[in-house]
Amino acid sequence: MPRRKLVAHDQCCYFQLVVFCSVTTLKRLLDGVAVLVLILVTLTLIYRPAAMFQRMKIQQRLEPLQDIPPLSRDFIDDGFRFTSIQEKEKFLSYDPPIGSWSMQLQAFENAIIISKLLNRTLLARALASEPEIKRLQRLTRSTMLPDSKVHDILDRNFTVPVSAVIDFSLLSKLIKVHDFRGSNQDFLSDHKNWSWYDVCHKDSTGFWVDFIPSSDNQEAWKILEAQEFVPFSIAILQTEPFCDHQLDIPATSHPTPSIRGIITELSKIKEDIVYFRGGSIATNDIRFLSKQRTELAQKWTLNYIRFTPYVQERTQQIITKINKPYNAVLISKEDEETNISSTINFRLKQMEKMKFKDITNRLYIITRMKNGTLFDPFRRRGYDISFSDSLIPSGINHFVQHDVRELLGFIICKYARLYVGSTDSYLIRRGRVHEATRRDGLLTNHVTIRWAVHTIKRTYRLKPGHNDTGQSLRTQKAHYITCNVCKFMQGTEKHALCAALLSECAKLRLN
């Protein structure tokens, strides 16, 4: 090979070797950098995990419960039960509560859930005009009669069938429901030959769960022991139903709530109709032990309880007048009874904090107050305000005019972009359910049915493991509640176990 060619060949090989070495070195450097990065990331996550997410704003809307061990399983219905013979169709109904249509619709929703759980046909009671039934309530109380007598003297003209407001064609896909349109006297007359089982409940003494667990179900009783419950020191006449019998609640500084099981107490009733007296079905506090059942109940209410097409159409007509987008504020009856100026100033501060005007200056005000000048502070802040009374169309039956106006007024609030005010009203809670918080895949507010794990006292510490003293207390509480269940069942055909327990209850009282 000529010398020049040999030199050129050697130079080419040297160049290729240099390139190969450079690429190899570069790869090793990159591998070293990657390993270094992984080491730094690992150390950062171990010692300063927040440093990796400084730019990510993770907002946790509800803090997790502390010191509560994860449930090993969903609670099954292992509690005290009665025998059942379903040889014919059975029913459920109720006295409507003395209050607004919002409260009466709350009772109706609860009746749907309980009817579904008990596999009973619901006899829905008509909606009664709030001003009229409250007038009659004052009349009956002046003669020392219970509130339930109000419906005996209520004129049918002051009632509206529930099917005029709620879409029964959709609801019938969930349960069998009959829309009773007559008076209370008609209802009693039509069903006088039926066998009745009366139920009465006071929110001030306790709450409903789906079932009462057996005494050896320690995990379930730990959850029930830890429940948040603040009893009223005295009965509030406006909200408490009149009951012919009361629970034997121990007179202690920290009374044990009366826990009543829907399935435990009511699923084996043989009477034709289970009837909730005195508006006691209108509770807004039901706590299920079963997570699966809680999820189902929440889906039932959200998917099958809808307003009729007529109500929705009228609502849309009103919303068109306001012109979307708009925000809303509620001045409730409780607000009106306090210092109204202070209430309005407080709402204005809330609105400023939530930046209402960044969306729109159109403001819809829900109120019963007729003096529009009281709301001048909103105008001075630059809000273009509208009132529910000025938007509701004319031509409404004067017997229920107040109630229809209030119903449509609350529904309008559902479509507001931002809202401030109380959520005590059932219609407000349902309308603003999209603002509800969630945990474990379940709604934790804006609903009646909640998982008992989500209603535990924040300060309560659930300690896992066996505790002989705790087990003894849980057994006593289980026996106490079971005794009350048997007490309610007196006068009906019962399982032999109930008779034995009643005998044991008598011995416990003697001791």
Side-chain angles (χ1 to χ4, degrees), residues 66-303:
Q66 301 297 324
D67 301 308
I68 297 178
L71 299 179
S72 60
R73 59 177 173 81
D74 195 9
F75 296 118
I76 60 173
D77 303 339
D78 67 344
F80 182 69
R81 302 298 293 270
F82 297 93
T83 58
S84 176
I85 302 175
Q86 290 286 350
E87 69 279 0
K88 62 179 182 178
E89 184 178 16
K90 296 186 181 297
F91 302 84
L92 182 142
S93 195
Y94 54 93
D95 284 332
I98 307 298
S100 65
W101 277 13
S102 182
M103 184 183 295
Q104 294 177 53
L105 288 170
Q106 172 76 84
F108 175 68
E109 178 180 292
N110 292 343
I112 291 171
I113 295 169
I114 298 174
S115 295
K116 178 66 176 177
L117 292 178
L118 302 180
N119 193 28
R120 286 178 173 260
T121 299
L122 174 60
L123 303 176
R125 301 304 302 274
L127 300 172
S129 175
E130 179 185 10
E132 180 63 11
I133 57 177
K134 286 192 172 180
R135 182 186 72 82
L136 296 176
Q137 182 187 50
R138 293 190 293 270
L139 178 63
T140 56
R141 286 182 175 176
S142 67
T143 56
M144 303 301 293
L145 292 174
D147 288 350
S148 57
K149 295 299 180 183
V150 164
H151 297 284
D152 292 343
I153 58 178
L154 177 65
D155 190 320
R156 183 176 174 180
N157 288 326
F158 289 94
T159 64
V160 170
V162 182
S163 59
V165 176
I166 302 298
D167 187 354
F168 272 36
S169 62
L170 177 62
L171 181 59
S172 61
K173 297 178 181 179
L174 177 68
I175 63 168
K176 292 183 66 176
V177 55
H178 297 326
D179 189 20
F180 190 83
R181 304 183 180 215
S183 65
N184 198 57
Q185 295 295 342
D186 294 335
F187 184 85
L188 296 175
S189 176
D190 290 355
H191 307 101
K192 63 182 179 182
N193 295 325
W194 288 17
S195 57
W196 292 57
Y197 179 79
D198 289 344
V199 179
C200 197
H201 168 73
K202 290 176 175 286
D203 280 345
S204 63
T205 60
F207 51 85
W208 289 94
V209 293
D210 47 348
F211 72 98
I212 303 297
S214 61
S215 58
D216 60 350
N217 190 340
Q218 297 182 43
E219 194 173 25
W221 278 103
K222 284 181 181 180
I223 297 298
L224 291 180
E225 278 183 347
Q227 290 299 296
E228 181 75 48
F229 178 70
V230 181
F232 298 117
S233 57
I234 58 173
I236 301 176
L237 294 178
Q238 287 76 8
T239 59
E240 288 287 353
F242 179 89
C243 296
D244 295 330
H245 56 268
Q246 305 293 330
L247 294 174
D248 297 329
I249 303 298
T252 62
S253 57
H254 300 286
T256 301
S258 164
I259 304 174
R260 303 180 65 175
I262 296 170
I263 295 172
T264 310
E265 182 181 336
L266 304 176
S267 66
K268 308 305 179 182
I269 300 298
K270 294 184 178 181
E271 280 74 10
D272 296 321
I273 180 169
V274 170
Y275 197 82
F276 285 78
R277 295 288 181 184
S280 57
I281 202 172
T283 177
N284 61 4
D285 185 19
I286 301 177
R287 313 173 189 190
F288 282 178
L289 281 167
S290 168
K291 180 181 178 183
Q292 181 181 14
R293 189 176 287 122
T294 306
E295 183 179 9
L296 283 173
Q298 291 183 357
K299 286 181 178 179
W300 293 340
T301 57
L302 295 177
N303 295 338

Side-chain angles (χ1 to χ4, degrees), residues 382-399:
Y383 287 103
D384 179 13
I385 64 178
S386 301
F387 296 98
S388 55
D389 279 353
S390 62
L391 297 169
I392 307 303
S394 59
I396 301 172
N397 184 338
H398 71 277
F399 289 108

